[in-house]
Amino acid sequence: MKNISKRKLIAVILGNLILGIGITILRFSQMGNDPFCASTMAISGGLGMGLGTYQLILNAVLFVFQLIWGRKYIGLGTIINLFLLGYIVQFGTWAMETLFGADVVLTLPLKLVIMVAALVILTFGLAMYQVAELGVAPYDFLALGLADRFPVPYFALRVGTDAVCVLVILIAVGTGLIGWESSHLGIGTVITAFFLGPLVSYFSKLHEKWVNESR
């Protein structure tokens, strides 16, 4: 706790808030969400459970593994992400549906514009949250923890954990738990899984100076 400056605390809280808003807008674009969020949205919807509650339960299970094998990756940011992110997205989704309707029809050009805006917003928030270096989310720990123990590149392991999320969705569709239209898979899923690195890197450089100045 001694290493938590006021700016780092702001970066973690604000970063998660902005990240949640970006995920919400990406969901609204109807172009597909990142693999982890797509899986939690799909399965929680299929079970009739609130996204925030389902994601909290899943994160709590993953946190047990993080607590046993990855304590160095645990910090205030881990706890904030674990408890708040799902509820931020759940509330944001409710707000968007209240404003625009649950069955709003978007044209393809508008979907693409919203998707691009969402990707910029969520990577901006993700970079801010990560630059504070106050712990990582339980799901993000999976690939990091495996990379610490096996001679496999982190990127390959991250693709692997994301692929498991997609597989879970496909199984849910195949078993009839959800329909394909409720899978939250799409081009946005592919982009977030493979191509967000440069944007996160760019925003990390912007955040680094102000976040790490002690104040």
Side-chain angles (χ1 to χ4, degrees):
M1 294 295 289
K2 292 180 181 178
N3 296 324
I4 302 178
S5 67
K6 186 185 295 184
R7 293 192 178 194
K8 286 191 174 186
L9 183 59
I10 291 171
V12 167
I13 296 173
L14 188 58
N16 272 286
L17 178 59
I18 294 171
L19 174 60
I21 292 171
I23 293 170
T24 302
I25 297 173
L26 186 57
R27 178 177 185 169
F28 181 72
S29 76
Q30 303 169 11
M31 297 296 282
N33 276 81
D34 68 276
F36 177 69
C37 286
S39 68
T40 58
M41 289 173 185
I43 303 304
S44 63
L47 295 175
M49 185 184 295
L51 173 65
T53 302
Y54 176 79
Q55 195 159 309
L56 175 60
I57 293 170
L58 179 58
N59 273 331
V61 172
L62 297 177
F63 181 70
V64 173
F65 295 98
Q66 189 174 6
L67 193 60
I68 296 171
W69 290 298
R71 292 187 183 181
K72 68 180 180 180
Y73 295 112
I74 295 175
L76 182 62
T78 308
I79 306 305
I80 290 174
N81 184 280
L82 191 159
F83 282 99
L84 294 184
L85 186 61
Y87 288 106
I88 292 170
V89 177
Q90 182 176 320
F91 175 78
T93 300
W94 170 83
M96 295 288 277
E97 290 179 349
T98 302
L99 285 172
F100 302 104
D103 301 315
V104 61
V105 178
L106 304 173
T107 63
L108 181 58
L110 185 55
K111 286 181 181 181
L112 290 171
V113 169
I114 295 172
M115 181 189 72
V116 170
L119 292 173
V120 171
I121 292 169
L122 76 86
T123 49
F124 184 88
L126 178 60
M128 185 185 295
Y129 151 60
Q130 289 183 343
V131 162
E133 296 182 337
L134 294 180
V136 301
Y139 175 72
D140 294 330
F141 155 72
L142 291 178
L144 290 167
L146 289 169
D148 286 344
R149 284 163 177 76
F150 299 100
V152 181
Y154 165 77
F155 178 76
L157 291 168
R158 181 64 190 227
V159 171
T161 57
D162 285 347
V164 170
C165 292
V166 174
L167 180 61
V168 167
I169 297 172
L170 295 178
I171 291 172
V173 172
T175 56
L177 179 65
I178 60 170
W180 177 256
E181 68 283 356
S182 302
S183 69
H184 297 282
L185 295 177
I187 188 173
T189 311
V190 177
I191 292 173
T192 54
F194 291 99
F195 303 113
L196 286 194
L199 265 180
V200 172
S201 177
Y202 172 75
F203 285 129
S204 293
K205 291 173 184 175
L206 291 181
H207 293 314
E208 213 158 39
K209 187 175 180 182
W210 76 266
V211 169
N212 291 315
E213 281 182 2
S214 350
R215 248 188 219 182

